[in-house]
Amino acid sequence: MSVLVLVAFVLVVIVGLILISVRLVQSREPASIEDRLDEFGTLDHPPTLEEIELSQPFAERVLVPLLEGLANLATRVNPQEGMQNIQHSLDLAGNPYDWSPMQFLGFRLLAALLLGGLGVVVLVIARQMALARRIILVGVMAVGGYYLPSLWLKSKTSSRQREITRSMPDALDLLTICVEAGLGFDGAIARVAEKWDNELGREFRRVLQEVQLGKLRREALRNMAERIEVPEVSTFVAAIIQAEELGVSIAKVLRIQAEEMRRRRRQRAEELARQAPIKMLPALAFLLFPAIFIVLLGPAVIRIMTMNIGIGGLGGGMP
């Protein structure tokens, strides 16, 4: 029992360190100039570099440099193409915590080291295990720690894509209304981005920012489609670019796209409704039916067992 308690305690500590490191590598709001001037105005003398470092929390002084050091070590052996793939995966997930590819790679190495260290602790405690199994256990835990962040990133990507797919028909309806009311396409996108604070609205805001920085609108829209990789968004971007090149009315194209998106949403809902009975079968077979059998057959089984016990008692009392 003490071994299990020790392993559970070590696991809780490791998970806590991972969560702290996740929170620390996320983006921080820089202090404004007024706040920094007020901070220096209240001091009798300018702080030294050592005082500034000691004033920071322990996690920022230790964990963040450790994570950055692991990331620098990983970038030396990881090719540039691998870093580009990591950046693309982060873009698909919506850039959680504003991680850079180097930071995410360092986080993967940190998770591998922590889980591998947990495996070593388990091996030291469980000495009766064979040496080959110990080595395999440490390797499996280290590899699992390295790939767990990637699985988490894929789950974030899937949830983000589902959210964008659900909000796409309503966004196209609003775009159509704004364009038909006289707004330009950029103004309609700005209105949608102002209306909704979701993943699609944030992507529209990024498109507007890229256009304001001098990028062509078609390039900004293509970049948005690459960052999302949702078929509905790719179709919408292709239709807008084609309408812009051929001089077709964007309002008419948006109207057709909105009707197509609503039709696809209705088809997805019908497909999910058809899948519901099949998904309910495991719950019915393993949870509901056993409970019904217990309620219906339980009294009969108890009565039969009581009758058997009574008959056995009478038989045992006979000469």
Side-chain angles (χ1 to χ4, degrees):
M1 181 63 70
S2 60
V3 173
L4 294 177
V5 172
L6 180 60
V7 172
F9 175 74
V10 173
L11 183 60
V12 169
V13 171
I14 289 175
V15 173
L17 290 175
I18 291 176
L19 293 177
I20 290 173
S21 62
V22 167
R23 298 300 299 175
L24 288 176
V25 296
Q26 64 179 335
S27 61
R28 303 180 181 89
E29 278 190 20
S32 62
I33 298 177
E34 291 79 5
D35 296 337
R36 288 154 64 182
L37 290 176
D38 293 338
E39 181 181 356
F40 280 101
T42 56
L43 298 176
D44 296 333
H45 62 279
T48 63
L49 181 60
E50 183 179 359
E51 292 175 350
I52 294 176
E53 291 181 353
L54 292 177
S55 64
Q56 295 178 350
F58 172 79
E60 293 188 10
R61 288 186 284 115
V62 177
L63 290 181
V64 172
L66 175 63
L67 191 63
E68 292 178 351
L70 290 174
N72 291 327
L73 179 63
T75 52
R76 295 178 183 177
V77 298
N78 201 45
Q80 186 65 26
E81 184 179 355
M83 301 300 291
Q84 293 176 357
N85 294 333
I86 294 176
Q87 182 62 56
H88 182 61
S89 300
L90 290 172
D91 290 337
L92 290 178
N95 285 321
Y97 306 115
D98 287 339
W99 275 342
S100 66
M102 186 175 65
Q103 289 174 336
F104 182 71
L105 190 57
F107 177 66
R108 293 181 67 181
L109 290 176
L110 178 62
L113 290 177
L114 291 177
L115 288 182
L118 176 61
V120 172
V121 172
V122 173
L123 294 183
V124 171
I125 296 173
R127 296 182 179 179
Q128 67 276 10
M129 188 181 297
L131 180 61
R133 292 185 178 180
R134 294 183 184 183
I135 297 175
I136 292 174
L137 179 61
V138 173
V140 168
M141 294 188 70
V143 172
Y146 184 77
Y147 283 102
L148 276 177
S150 297
L151 296 177
W152 169 78
L153 198 66
K154 289 182 180 179
S155 67
K156 292 278 291 183
T157 300
S158 300
S159 61
R160 179 172 180 261
Q161 289 176 341
R162 285 194 299 268
E163 180 184 350
I164 291 175
T165 302
R166 286 195 298 267
S167 59
M168 194 67 188
D170 297 330
L172 282 181
D173 287 336
L174 184 56
L175 279 176
T176 304
I177 293 172
C178 293
V179 171
E180 290 180 348
L183 282 177
F185 183 70
D186 293 341
I189 291 180
R191 183 60 58 88
V192 173
E194 180 183 353
K195 180 73 174 178
W196 287 321
D197 186 16
N198 54 14
E199 293 294 336
L200 186 59
R202 286 188 280 273
E203 284 295 333
F204 279 159
R205 280 195 291 271
R206 185 167 175 176
V207 168
L208 292 176
Q209 291 173 359
E210 291 181 357
V211 171
Q212 291 172 358
L213 291 175
K215 186 174 291 187
L216 294 177
R217 187 167 63 187
R218 62 173 67 93
E219 294 180 2
L221 290 174
R222 287 196 186 101
N223 292 337
M224 181 185 71
E226 292 176 358
R227 289 192 303 267
I228 296 176
E229 287 190 359
V230 172
E232 286 80 0
V233 177
S234 300
T235 303
F236 161 72
V237 169
I240 294 298
I241 293 175
Q242 187 176 10
E244 190 179 54
E245 291 177 352
L246 299 178
V248 182
S249 173
I250 294 183
K252 184 182 295 185
V253 172
L254 288 174
R255 174 69 64 182
I256 296 173
Q257 287 293 314
E259 293 176 356
E260 180 67 19
M261 295 296 172
R262 285 195 299 270
R263 184 181 64 83
R264 290 186 180 182
R265 182 169 61 180
R266 183 171 61 252
Q267 290 177 350
R268 284 194 301 269
E270 293 174 353
E271 182 181 358
L272 291 175
R274 288 192 296 268
Q275 293 175 356
I278 300 176
K279 294 180 179 179
M280 291 170 60
L281 282 178
L284 292 174
F286 296 104
L287 299 177
L288 186 60
F289 288 162
I292 292 176
F293 290 153
I294 291 173
V295 171
L296 295 179
L297 301 179
V301 172
I302 294 174
R303 181 171 297 181
I304 291 172
M305 293 176 63
T306 305
M307 291 176 62
N308 291 335
I309 292 174
I311 294 173
L314 292 175
M318 294 178 63

